[in-house]
Amino acid sequence: MNLFLMMATRFSSLFSVLAGLAICIISFVPVFASAQEAPSTETVFAQSKQRIAQIRILEKSANTKASLGSGFIVNAQGLIITNYHVISDLVFRPDLYRGEVYFGDGETRPLRLVNFDAVHDLAIVSTGKTSPEFFDIDPRPQPKGSRVYAIGTPHDLGFTIVEGTYNGLLSGSLYEKIHYTGAINSGMSGGPAILPDGRVVGINVATAGNQIGFLVPSVFALRLLKQPPLGKMPALEALRRQLLDNQANIVASITRQPLPTANFHGYRVPVTLGDFSKCWADTDQQISAIYQRFSQQCSSEDDLFLYREHSTGKLEFQHDYISAPKLNTLRFYNLFQQFFERPYNDMGGPPEDMGQFECKTDFVARNGLKMKLALCVRSYKRLPGLFDMILKIATLNQNHEGLQSSYQVSGVSFANASKLAYQFAGAFAWQK
């Protein structure tokens, strides 16, 4: 009996301990849950404001702001990440512009360009000011729907934080970008996009309006930080080399295999340049018109910002099938020739930086087609070795209908322009 009493007493004590432990656990749960809750937007901003900066580009003669952007400190030496397009004036016209950095504590310092990656629209600048506080960069992709905060100085209204959503990498893009659902306004370019704990997962770069924003993945910022600084290399020479390497990779990818083709009103034609291109169709069939026109267009969604209003690196083509059965052969030829001689689409670029288009016309017969070809190229004066290309094609097989196509590519070497033109023209065939 004594043994049973001893066991009962021990079990009673054990149950008391367990009950007390249960109470402790239950009372601890709310504390644990609150620790896991995301910090408020106010807290995130307060923890970040000493690590962000405004990038100012000033016109030297008037010493007045010409453009603004944002940046963020990434190491104890005070290096600052921003966008290439924010500082592009310093690359193309250092004689006219200078840069400075305005910090959240009110201090302003002259800016020095350390390095840049124009392909991914990133740059590193320095002021010589060390910093005990800086952002950590996390190159890992985040789960879709993650909360992300974009920080910057929109419209010179002061430092601002915007809460938004990480929506993964864009599909069908030449250059990786993160789709960010949140407002990224002018002046926020180059600012950090951070997780609630302050890790940088992207860099503000562009907007399409209506809460559609885009971020440069932070992995490219890490890669740029690991590269040696420009040193004595002229910035334009560094830009030229980056663009030449980039276009070589793109052209190699496009020309690795024949272009996909499909039937278009009896003609076999290219229908895409790759996953990075988007395509549309249009038609002009007015009853009173003397001709009918059916069109297809494809273009890359991306280009590379160079300077001011000038971009490069875009590829696009258009097919126009024209039919005029009521016209005699001579009138149809005149109409067809007018379409062929239409001015090419404006490819941009300041006249002082671009050469004149020089064209060569030829007649070829291939894949059952008789074609008139005109290949036009112009050079980049400040970036030797880069050219814009326009290829025009007109079929000559029929007397009352025909196909015309144009292919425009900006920022390629002359050799690669020839490769692209040869590949494109070789994809056409007669199917009637």
Side-chain angles (χ1 to χ4, degrees):
M1 179 65 69
N2 291 339
L3 180 59
F4 282 112
L5 286 173
M6 290 174 61
M7 292 178 63
T9 301
R10 290 180 180 177
F11 276 118
S12 176
S13 300
L14 179 60
F15 286 140
S16 297
V17 173
L18 290 175
L21 181 58
I23 292 172
C24 292
I25 292 173
I26 293 170
S27 64
F28 180 73
V29 167
V31 177
F32 181 80
S34 64
Q36 293 301 307
E37 291 176 1
S40 68
T41 303
E42 180 183 6
T43 300
V44 173
F45 182 72
Q47 294 172 346
S48 304
K49 63 183 180 180
Q50 298 303 319
R51 297 175 280 176
I52 53 180
Q54 184 183 64
I55 311 298
R56 298 171 174 176
I57 305 301
L58 296 90
E59 199 276 325
K60 286 183 177 180
S61 63
N63 200 35
T64 303
K65 287 180 284 188
S67 61
L68 298 171
S70 302
F72 58 100
I73 303 170
V74 293
N75 61 21
Q77 289 72 46
L79 291 182
I80 296 171
I81 292 286
T82 185
N83 286 142
Y84 163 80
H85 76 256
V86 170
I87 54 84
S88 59
D89 286 341
L90 305 181
V91 173
F92 272 82
R93 297 306 304 266
D95 55 323
L96 298 180
Y97 299 97
R98 68 178 182 87
E100 66 181 24
V101 177
Y102 172 76
F103 294 96
D105 60 5
E107 183 180 7
T108 301
R109 286 193 169 219
L111 172 157
R112 179 176 66 87
L113 179 60
V114 176
N115 206 348
F116 61 86
D117 174 1
V119 173
H120 297 103
D121 204 349
L122 293 173
I124 302 173
V125 300
S126 174
T127 65
K129 178 182 179 180
T130 59
S131 176
E133 297 188 50
F134 52 88
F135 284 100
D136 289 326
I137 298 177
D138 189 341
R140 296 171 297 181
Q142 301 300 310
K144 194 170 184 178
S146 298
R147 181 180 300 177
V148 173
Y149 301 87
I151 304 177
T153 56
H155 301 288
D156 202 17
L157 296 175
F159 295 101
T160 301
I161 185 168
V162 176
E163 183 178 340
T165 307
Y166 183 104
N167 277 300
L169 293 177
L170 285 177
S171 60
S173 178
L174 267 174
Y175 311 106
E176 288 187 14
K177 291 186 183 70
I178 297 168
H179 177 196
Y180 171 75
T181 303
I184 295 180
N185 295 304
S186 178
M188 294 182 69
S189 292
I194 64 175
L195 297 173
D197 62 8
R199 287 174 292 143
V200 177
V201 295
I203 297 89
N204 308 334
V205 69
T207 180
N210 297 319
Q211 301 291 305
I212 300 175
F214 305 103
L215 312 173
V216 179
S218 58
V219 64
F220 296 112
L222 280 180
R223 291 181 188 177
L224 182 58
L225 285 166
K226 293 177 181 178
Q227 295 178 11
L230 290 176
K232 295 182 179 180
M233 179 184 294
L236 277 176
E237 175 59 18
L239 176 63
R240 187 186 78 90
R241 295 184 185 186
Q242 290 179 18
L243 295 176
L244 283 171
D245 288 345
N246 180 65
Q247 62 86 39
N249 291 333
I250 292 174
V251 173
S253 174
I254 294 174
T255 57
R256 190 171 293 124
Q257 54 191 5
L259 291 173
T261 61
N263 188 297
F264 181 63
H265 296 274
Y267 298 88
R268 200 79 186 171
V269 299
V271 290
T272 184
L273 295 169
D275 294 339
F276 60 85
S277 62
K278 299 289 190 299
C279 302
W280 302 266
D282 193 11
T283 183
D284 183 1
Q285 300 186 69
Q286 299 179 27
I287 296 176
S288 59
I290 62 174
Y291 68 88
Q292 294 181 328
R293 182 181 63 88
F294 301 85
S295 299
Q296 286 185 356
Q297 307 92 28
C298 283
S299 68
S300 59
E301 293 291 286
D302 300 281
D303 52 22
L304 300 178
F305 183 90
L306 289 182
Y307 164 65
R308 294 289 166 167
E309 303 300 321
H310 190 197
S311 296
T312 190
K314 192 164 187 178
L315 305 92
E316 57 185 331
F317 66 78
Q318 177 169 326
H319 305 305
D320 289 299
Y321 170 76
I322 302 165
S323 174
K326 296 180 181 180
L327 296 182
N328 61 41
T329 301
L330 180 59
R331 291 189 63 196
F332 175 76
Y333 176 79
N334 288 334
L335 172 69
F336 206 56
Q337 185 67 13
Q338 289 176 23
F339 271 95
F340 191 78
E341 293 177 351
R342 286 181 303 180
Y344 45 79
N345 293 338
D346 182 19
M347 299 185 75
E352 63 270 20
D353 288 343
M354 305 304 301
Q356 296 293 320
F357 275 104
E358 298 182 13
C359 302
K360 180 180 179 181
T361 302
D362 202 356
F363 294 87
V364 301
R366 186 169 182 176
N367 299 330
L369 271 179
K370 298 176 182 178
M371 298 182 288
K372 179 180 180 179
L373 276 64
L375 179 63
C376 305
V377 294
R378 67 173 182 177
S379 62
Y380 287 50
K381 293 181 181 179
R382 297 194 189 202
L383 301 168
L386 287 170
F387 297 83
D388 289 341
M389 175 199 84
I390 299 174
L391 173 65
K392 285 191 172 184
I393 299 174
T395 64
L396 305 172
N397 284 54
Q398 294 183 291
N399 295 327
H400 302 286
E401 59 187 86
L403 174 72
Q404 293 194 13
S405 296
S406 63
Y407 188 21
Q408 295 187 181
V409 182
S410 58
V412 291
S413 68
F414 186 83
N416 281 332
S418 300
K419 287 181 183 178
L420 292 172
Y422 183 82
Q423 180 196 41
F424 189 75
F428 288 77
W430 177 246
Q431 288 201 321
K432 286 193 176 181

